[in-house]
Amino acid sequence: MNRIEIKENKITMGQYLLYTLKGYIKNWWWAYALPLVLCIALSVVNINFLFVAIILLFLVFMMILFFVVIYYGIVPESRYSTLKKDIELNNEGITLHLKKPVIELNADEKNTIESVEKKEEKPTVKYDLETVVIEWDRIKCVKGSDECMLLTFHQPKYSFLAIPYDAFDDETHLRDSLSLIRSCIGGNLISKKLKWKRHKRAHIVEY
């Protein structure tokens, strides 16, 4: 059985929401552009349509995008990218060893104002381990961004597993991982070009 390990990695929630928003806008940009163009065109006849366009752009559309980001940002799959994790790729699927942070206070620190005010006393952070297996048939396609490889899921929509390029030891490690993924989901589902960025140097990895 082919088996590839990827060292501990994560992305921030801000990065996750940004990638989610980009995926949503890529699919639905026309639904936002069409009423704007229509209102701007009608403003030639009636200037009030210009104010409608402004309201749509800065109020209605912003509220919709806000709720989209919140809705897709709280799906359980989001933690696959935002929690610290070790990753194992094999023929059966993707195994994630998630590390969920748990903050513990010492007995004398609980419910005391003094312990909160003392900056030198910090709560102990421990991790609960959870293992999650993602089968290959859940993966819709593999895309690349400037900083991460994104394995998108069929469901929930706009959800994905982000693996930062820094999690790979080198370019060979990345290529070997792509070869295994390709053999499991098919090469036509992998982006032809993934941007490999490491130590502030970037170039294109063609696959």
Side-chain angles (χ1 to χ4, degrees), residues 10-71:
K10 61 170 288 188
I11 63 172
T12 65
M13 179 57 73
Q15 289 175 303
Y16 185 88
L17 295 179
L18 179 61
Y19 292 139
T20 301
L21 188 59
K22 285 181 178 179
Y24 176 82
I25 292 177
K26 184 178 180 180
N27 284 349
W28 294 100
W29 65 268
W30 57 270
Y32 294 85
L34 187 60
L36 283 178
V37 172
L38 182 61
C39 288
I40 292 173
L42 291 174
S43 66
V44 177
V45 179
N46 189 332
I47 192 63
N48 289 330
F49 282 103
L50 182 58
F51 296 108
V52 174
I54 294 174
I55 293 173
L56 286 175
L57 180 60
F58 292 104
L59 183 60
V60 179
F61 291 169
M62 291 299 104
M63 290 182 62
I64 293 175
L65 292 177
F66 173 78
F67 286 113
V68 166
V69 167
I70 296 300
Y71 177 80

Side-chain angles (χ1 to χ4, degrees), residues 29-116:
W29 65 268
W30 57 270
Y32 294 85
L34 187 60
L36 283 178
V37 172
L38 182 61
C39 288
I40 292 173
L42 291 174
S43 66
V44 177
V45 179
N46 189 332
I47 192 63
N48 289 330
F49 282 103
L50 182 58
F51 296 108
V52 174
I54 294 174
I55 293 173
L56 286 175
L57 180 60
F58 292 104
L59 183 60
V60 179
F61 291 169
M62 291 299 104
M63 290 182 62
I64 293 175
L65 292 177
F66 173 78
F67 286 113
V68 166
V69 167
I70 296 300
Y71 177 80
Y72 289 109
I74 62 175
V75 296
E77 284 74 10
S78 65
R79 64 198 181 100
Y80 298 166
S81 298
T82 58
L83 289 179
K84 289 183 179 180
K85 63 190 175 297
D86 297 316
I87 301 176
E88 178 185 322
L89 306 178
N90 55 54
N91 294 333
E92 301 298 324
I94 306 170
T95 302
L96 306 178
H97 301 289
L98 302 175
K99 301 178 180 180
K100 300 184 294 184
V102 178
I103 298 178
E104 294 185 354
L105 295 177
N106 296 330
D108 58 343
E109 293 178 340
K110 293 181 179 179
N111 301 322
T112 61
I113 299 177
E114 292 80 5
S115 64
V116 176

